[in-house]
Amino acid sequence: MRLKRPRSGWVRRIVIRVLVVMAVFWGGGIALFSFLPVPFSAVMIERQLGSWLRGDFSYIAHSDWVSMDEISPWMGLAVIAAEDQKFPDHWGFDVGAIEKALAHNERNESRIRGASTLSQQTAKNLFLWDGRSWMRKGFEAGLTLGIETVWSKKRILTVYLNIAEFGEGVFGVEAAAQRYFHKPASRLSASEAALLAAVLPNPIRFKASAPSGYVRNRQAWILRQMRQLGGEGFMQANKLH
């Protein structure tokens, strides 16, 4: 008589195989996208499929890949000033910002503050699904270490700017520049770059095409931070453009 194998052992083997496949897939993606243009991201796929499932076939997740040479240096500076001022120096994680966010979230459970670096956001947007869970955070941490190991800071910034969501169906700085300012990303001014960076925390709620008072105030704050960082000289000094 054949004894049945414990179900827990079967489940464990399935989980291990799935994790190995995911690791190979993500590792291959990190290697390939270290030099190849990124055609789409996990967030773009999620948005497009969600739209189709809702019966909205007019939605198109659109992005046009451009190299860093085709992006205004103000745009890179704006997202660093707005999202991650320690970007050139950290190894993927801003420990100080994480500690502050944890302390804030313990005191204010209704208003959760994040502390994701540009590297973490790039890993999440490119490879992972939306949502909050410890499992997704674990995957994000591993992917962040992977891209920080394989990619240069300039490459991380380039990919981030090409897959970031700037509005309904608008992904990447080239698509955003054409949609909102009718010009290529290479010609964005400091003010326009700061406006695009100002909507990044929630590009569906905040509109670059019709900025609220909050967005305008955030734009002005980002412009001040850009000047304090050193303007275009900051990008050149850190070899980010």
Side-chain angles (χ1 to χ4, degrees):
M1 181 179 177
R2 246 178 116 181
L3 296 175
K4 290 185 178 180
R5 294 181 179 178
R7 181 172 294 181
S8 60
W10 176 78
V11 171
R12 190 184 303 112
R13 285 193 296 275
I14 293 295
V15 170
I16 291 173
R17 287 174 184 173
V18 169
L19 290 175
V20 168
V21 170
M22 291 170 71
V24 170
F25 174 76
W26 285 335
I30 290 173
L32 287 174
F33 295 144
S34 65
F35 60 93
L36 289 179
V38 177
F40 51 80
S41 68
V43 171
M44 292 176 68
I45 294 172
E46 186 174 354
R47 296 280 192 271
Q48 190 66 68
L49 291 177
S51 176
W52 287 342
L53 290 173
R54 292 192 304 271
D56 180 6
F57 297 98
S58 63
Y59 178 94
I60 299 175
H62 178 67
S63 175
D64 294 313
W65 176 272
V66 284
S67 68
M68 188 57 83
D69 293 338
E70 299 172 281
I71 301 173
S72 166
W74 295 119
M75 192 66 237
L77 180 62
V79 297
I80 290 171
E83 302 283 311
D84 185 5
Q85 295 189 11
K86 296 181 180 178
F87 175 68
D89 304 314
H90 63 59
W91 45 278
F93 308 92
D94 186 341
V95 177
I98 292 171
E99 290 174 347
K100 289 179 181 178
L102 290 173
H104 173 273
N105 295 341
E106 286 180 2
R107 298 190 302 268
N108 304 273
E109 294 184 3
S110 61
R111 297 183 64 184
I112 301 299
R113 178 188 294 175
S116 293
T117 62
L118 290 178
S119 303
Q120 288 174 272
Q121 292 180 50
T122 302
K124 172 177 70 72
N125 292 342
L126 183 57
F127 293 114
L128 299 173
W129 61 94
D130 264 348
R132 294 178 180 274
S133 69
W134 287 110
M135 181 175 71
R136 195 191 64 78
K137 273 294 182 186
F139 288 147
E140 180 187 300
L143 288 164
T144 299
L145 290 173
I147 66 174
E148 280 279 347
T149 300
V150 177
W151 298 359
S152 67
K153 289 288 187 177
K154 181 178 177 180
R155 183 62 180 180
I156 294 172
L157 186 60
T158 302
V159 173
Y160 175 84
L161 290 172
N162 274 283
I163 65 175
E165 187 176 20
F166 289 98
E168 195 78 32
V170 182
F171 291 86
V173 64
E174 180 67 18
Q178 295 287 355
R179 171 73 66 88
Y180 302 123
F181 306 114
H182 311 291
K183 63 171 67 173
S186 61
R187 291 174 49 206
L188 287 171
S189 68
S191 179
E192 291 164 343
L195 178 58
L196 290 179
V199 306
L200 283 174
N202 193 333
I204 304 303
R205 177 184 174 190
F206 304 136
K207 308 290 185 183
S209 56
S212 63
Y214 170 81
V215 170
R216 286 298 186 189
N217 288 336
R218 182 166 167 78
Q219 176 192 23
W221 177 83
I222 292 170
L223 282 167
R224 291 195 298 272
Q225 297 301 307
M226 291 164 68
R227 288 192 293 270
Q228 290 177 15
L229 285 173
E232 288 185 83
F234 175 88
M235 302 295 288
Q236 295 166 357
N238 289 285
K239 300 178 181 179
L240 293 172
H241 200 271

